[in-house]
Every structure is written in structure tokens, then in C-alpha cells.
Amino acid sequence: MPAAQYHAMDAVSASLLKQIAKSPAHAKAYLQQQQEPTAAMLFGTAFHTCVLESERFDNEYAVFEGDKRTKEGKANYERLVSEGKTIITATDYATITAMAEAIGEHPASGAFVRGEGQTEVSMFWDDDETGLACKCRPDIWIAQGTGSVIVDLKTTEDASPEGFARSIQNYGYGIQAAHYLAGSGADSFIFVAVEKKAPYAVAVYELDPLSLDICEKQRRSLLEYWANCKEA
């Protein structure tokens, strides 16, 4: 399923849960697309495309280094846009490709991205307790015998255990893990964290059972809160 079609589906995603945690107003604005994508979000999308769909990255992204104030520069820029290219800076291109290379060279994350897992898998289900339609879209879905594993790519300023633990707390990554596990029935959820500056350090993490249990309780509370909001 194309990403645009997935995002258009009316269902509770992990991203929506994070907005609900702020306030119903934030969640409503998110659904109405009143908030423009930030530079960090655009960078993250390009990074995910480079790692998970390298051919599409080469086809859909282009570097523009000219000056749009000149006639030639403006013409080149408009040509790239007319071809459907997403324009990124040379600096971002170099950073994204270096991060992707670092992930590929890491013994654990490299095995995940080079394995036979499926990428960008769209999943949908109805929550048993609230009846809410839910959805998730794992970066990588790996079937292993009778079980399965979800792998999620994260860019970060600090991939150390202490640093990434703060990111998990600050950005609601634990709620995302709980949401994906609840809907997919996967056995485990793995984070691949990669730093955005040289040496582009990579680390692989999995939340412990107690942390996941806490995050699932938070997710359950947010679902019930949202169901009450919709009913009211």
C-alpha cells in the first residue's frame, strides 16, 4: 500500500496516540493536517526511503546546488520539481547516505536491512476494548518460523543507552512499540538507532518486558481517552 493511502486511512496510529497524549486539540489538528511537516520530519522521511527503498530514493530525491535567483538555476530547479523530485541539500544527501551505510555495516542492523523481511508493511485492526480502528506501518517485518520481529529505524543525536533512553521517553517510542506489538502480534520490537553526525554510531535496542507493560498501559489509557473524546 502506498504511504499516502495508508496515512489517509481513518484509524488510530502511534503518531496519533502521541498527539492525543498532548491534548485532543493537538490530535484534531494532526488529523486535519494543520501542522506542516518540520525539517526534521522531511529529513527522517528521506532517510527511511534511502535505507528501506534505495531505488525509490535515487528516483525521487535530487540534490540542487545552484542559485534559484539566476535564470539557469531557476530553470534547473523547476525542471527537477516538474520531474516529481523532492529537493534536498547536498549536506543532507551526504549525511543520509552515510547513515544508511553505517546501518548496513553494523553486524546486527545490517542483517535486518539485508534480510528477507518486508518493508513498509501496512496493518489494520479493531481494538477489542474500545472498538477503535487502529493501524501501524512497521519499517521492517521479519517472519521467523512461527514468530515475527518488527524493526524500527530511528535517527538520534545520541545512540548511547542513556541518550536513546531519553529519546524513548521524550518522543513516545515506547507507546509506538506497544501499539505495533498489540496490532501485529509480533514477538519483539527492535529499535535501530543511528546518530546524525559522524561517526554515525549505530546501536540496536529492545525494551524490557516491564517497560513494555508500562507503555501498553499508557497506550490503553490513551485509546480510552480518545474513544471518550469521539463519543462526546
Side-chain angles (χ1 to χ4, degrees), residues 47 51 95-114 140 151-161 163-164 190-206:
F47 163 71
V51 175
T95 299
I96 288 168
T97 52
M99 292 165 66
E101 183 178 354
I103 287 176
E105 292 177 349
H106 187 278
S109 62
F112 289 140
V113 299
R114 290 192 302 270
I140 303 175
V151 180
D152 193 71
L153 307 178
K154 296 296 185 189
T155 63
T156 183
E157 299 294 336
D158 185 354
S160 71
F164 195 65
I190 305 296
F191 293 104
V192 171
V194 56
E195 294 180 355
K196 294 184 285 186
K197 295 180 181 179
Y200 309 105
V202 177
V204 177
Y205 297 108
E206 182 177 8

Side-chain angles (χ1 to χ4, degrees), residues 5-39:
Q5 183 180 351
Y6 166 81
H7 290 300
M9 299 291 287
D10 183 14
V12 178
S13 64
S15 296
L16 179 58
L17 287 173
K18 296 173 189 177
Q19 297 298 322
I20 296 169
K22 295 179 182 178
S23 79
H26 286 85
K28 187 176 181 180
Y30 172 81
L31 290 175
Q32 295 175 341
Q33 298 298 311
Q34 294 177 0
Q35 298 172 330
E36 292 294 324
T38 65

Side-chain angles (χ1 to χ4, degrees), residues 6 60 63 134 164 170 193 218:
Y6 166 81
E60 296 184 7
V63 173
C134 297
F164 195 65
N170 292 338
Q218 292 174 331

Side-chain angles (χ1 to χ4, degrees), residues 7-8 15 23 27 37 64 102 112-113 116 126 150 154 162 165 172 188 192 197 201 210 215 220 224 228:
H7 290 300
S15 296
S23 79
F64 175 75
F112 289 140
V113 299
E116 298 183 1
D126 290 333
I150 288 175
K154 296 296 185 189
E162 297 80 8
S188 57
V192 171
K197 295 180 181 179
L210 177 58
C215 292
R220 173 56 48 202
E224 292 172 355
N228 291 336

